[in-house]
Amino acid sequence: MSKFRPKTPVEIQAMREGGKILAETLLWLKEEKVVSGMSTQDIDSYTREFFKKKGVEPVFLGYYGFTGVICTSINDAVIHGVPNDKTIIQEGDIVSLDCGLKHKGMIVDSALTFGVGEIPEPTRLLLERTQKSLYKAIKALKNGATTGDLGYAVENYIDQFGYGIIRDYAGHGVGHSLHEDPTIPNYGAKGKGDTFITGMTIAIEPMITLGSEDVYIDADDEWTVYTDDGSLSAHFEHTVLVTENGAEILTQL
Ligand code: MG
Ligand code: MG
């Protein structure tokens, strides 16, 4: 008997629907809304507007006192950037957007990173490879796979580039709550850790840097996680459903 409870077909369908809305939100922000000169508060406002239109509930707002509906992490900010009117997006920045919503009682969680305007080739590669590492982990997922299998998939792919893999934060189960068991690190050994079963829903989210894997939390906002050495950081996340022979990505169009 697994210690994890699979979601019911009705719960999964709600997450599938919510996941599409979240994918739509993030792509709309990326493709149409985020431009240089705007503040991260503007991104938050657009997200609120979009959620209202779609009739879905933000889940980051109020989470341990978080004041935004979306995390906006720029350049060396890895995750948990708090939207504010002083942080202005500049040409050449890389912007990580991480967002969650509740639809028909079920929560989904997703993130992406993109460049604003032209970005240097090494930065573009960091983004591309971080996203690819997420897909490597998704490919390793199926009924009977372990958290270690997923961590290994990310680490084994990323190591060749000499990038930093953030170890202080990890993926997680998701659905009834934003963060459920198990914790899913972005490093590990094949066959180790907790075993996934069909019907589980999890968020996989590699956070990769051009330099150090060490981070600190901003002393003023007490949220934003920065790389110690100021190196750029990328973050991609999908909520996925574990199936008998693989996985279904829920947070895509
Ligand atoms: Mg997230
Ligand atoms: Mg997450």
Side-chain angles (χ1 to χ4, degrees):
M1 250 305 261
S2 172
K3 60 180 168 178
F4 302 114
R5 186 175 80 71
K7 267 67 176 183
T8 68
V10 170
E11 290 167 344
I12 290 165
Q13 186 52 31
M15 292 178 74
R16 211 174 261 129
E17 292 169 14
K20 283 200 174 16
I21 296 169
L22 184 54
E24 230 185 296
T25 310
L26 290 172
L27 288 173
W28 177 70
L29 290 168
K30 176 190 169 189
E31 307 288 345
E32 297 182 34
K33 288 290 149 196
V34 177
V35 290
S36 61
M38 77 194 291
S39 70
T40 52
Q41 188 64 57
D42 293 331
I43 301 175
D44 190 82
S45 302
Y46 282 125
T47 310
R48 285 173 198 245
E49 190 187 297
F50 201 86
F51 277 10
K52 206 168 175 188
K53 197 171 80 184
K54 295 285 175 182
V56 294
E57 215 181 293
V59 289
F60 288 10
L61 185 66
Y63 190 80
Y64 290 98
F66 194 78
T67 53
V69 299
I70 188 166
C71 294
T72 53
S73 308
I74 316 299
N75 296 333
D76 60 331
V78 183
I79 48 169
H80 301 169
V82 185
N84 65 84
D85 53 18
K86 288 187 184 63
T87 305
I88 307 296
I89 309 288
Q90 315 278 352
E91 186 81 8
D93 279 350
I94 58 169
V95 176
S96 295
L97 301 179
D98 185 354
C99 197
L101 63 78
K102 191 188 255 189
H103 169 71
K104 296 182 178 170
M106 299 302 291
I107 292 171
V108 286
D109 184 12
S110 184
L112 49 73
T113 305
F114 56 92
V116 176
E118 290 290 306
I119 54 170
E121 183 63 4
T123 309
R124 193 193 64 74
L125 284 172
L126 171 71
L127 270 47
E128 183 181 289
R129 289 162 174 169
T130 302
Q131 184 174 34
K132 196 159 175 198
S133 76
L134 167 60
Y135 285 97
K136 295 270 182 192
I138 293 170
K139 213 170 166 209
L141 182 59
K142 61 179 180 184
N143 182 46
T146 67
T147 52
D149 292 342
L150 271 55
Y152 174 84
V154 172
E155 188 178 24
N156 181 55
Y157 172 68
I158 288 297
D159 265 356
Q160 62 184 308
F161 307 117
Y163 296 155
I165 300 174
I166 304 290
R167 288 170 178 259
D168 290 0
Y169 299 88
H172 50 90
V174 64
H176 300 290
S177 309
L178 181 56
H179 295 112
E180 298 176 349
D181 287 337
T183 295
I184 307 164
N186 293 303
Y187 58 91
K190 275 186 186 176
K192 300 286 185 194
D194 290 314
T195 302
F196 298 109
I197 57 166
T198 298
M200 282 175 76
T201 47
I202 61 169
I204 308 173
E205 50 180 316
M207 291 153 261
I208 310 294
T209 86
L210 278 180
S212 174
E213 64 184 45
D214 297 323
V215 293
Y216 68 92
I217 296 172
D218 186 287
D220 295 326
D221 71 24
E222 296 179 334
W223 274 104
T224 313
V225 176
Y226 289 100
T227 54
D228 261 358
D229 60 0
S231 61
L232 296 176
S233 173
H235 179 209
F236 285 86
E237 176 179 30
H238 273 311
T239 294
V240 301
L241 167 70
V242 183
T243 66
E244 208 49 38
N245 298 305
E248 177 187 335
I249 301 174
L250 300 176
T251 44
Q252 70 181 10
L253 296 180

